[in-house]
Amino acid sequence: MRPGPQLKYGLPMLIIVFAVAAVALYGGATLVDVKHEAAAADGGGATGGPANITITAKNIAFDKRTITVSAGVDVTVTFVNADAGVLHNVAFYTNRSASSTIAKGATFAGPGQEELKFVAPGPGSYFYRCDVHPDQMTGTFAVK
């Protein structure tokens, strides 16, 4: 006895229905894309796609001590100065001496925010700081 059309086409149709539902649910994004978006929102970006990072300055301190991105990716840093009337910026340097700049944002009084865009350098451990408070406000910029 030969299987009817329900058995012959049932499993492939079920797979197609699940695939269409997954695309509708995730908007065409793969699971890797979803993980990257979560990592980037968390100060990451080490999965290879563009890195969108928010750094907040409050009470003369950054909210992140380490930021990790992939080498060569487009980095967009949204810098939020939450300290009313206090000057801050965010600047990325090749090392703690701050003699060679990777990217440097404008200094401005809070509250306010600025976007800084640059391409991540090659793999290594770099440095970021507020130029107004170079001893209190520092962090590591890790590039994988």
Side-chain angles (χ1 to χ4, degrees):
M1 178 174 211
R2 292 178 42 174
Q6 295 85 2
L7 282 178
K8 184 176 179 181
Y9 298 108
L11 185 58
M13 287 302 275
L14 188 59
I15 290 171
I16 291 170
V17 168
F18 279 116
V20 169
V23 168
L25 180 64
Y26 290 108
T30 65
L31 291 178
V32 173
D33 291 335
V34 173
K35 286 180 186 174
H36 171 68
E37 289 171 12
D42 212 22
T47 59
N52 297 305
I53 301 159
T54 299
I55 301 173
T56 300
K58 187 172 185 178
N59 300 320
I60 318 294
F62 287 130
D63 67 334
K64 293 177 179 58
R65 300 293 292 165
T66 301
I67 298 168
T68 303
V69 300
S70 294
V73 301
D74 292 327
V75 178
T76 300
V77 175
T78 301
F79 176 61
V80 179
N81 181 350
D83 284 336
V86 179
L87 294 173
H88 290 304
N89 80 324
V90 64
F92 293 81
Y93 296 100
T94 56
N95 58 44
R96 285 190 162 272
S97 74
S99 60
S100 182
T101 305
I102 296 169
K104 183 176 181 176
T107 300
F108 63 96
Q113 74 179 40
E114 174 189 75
E115 253 188 23
L116 178 62
K117 295 184 179 198
F118 61 97
V119 175
S125 182
Y126 301 96
F127 177 71
Y128 72 95
R129 74 178 192 186
C130 168
D131 290 326
V132 180
H133 305 97
D135 296 323
Q136 301 104 316
M137 298 177 67
T138 65
T140 301
F141 181 51
V143 181
K144 304 291 180 191

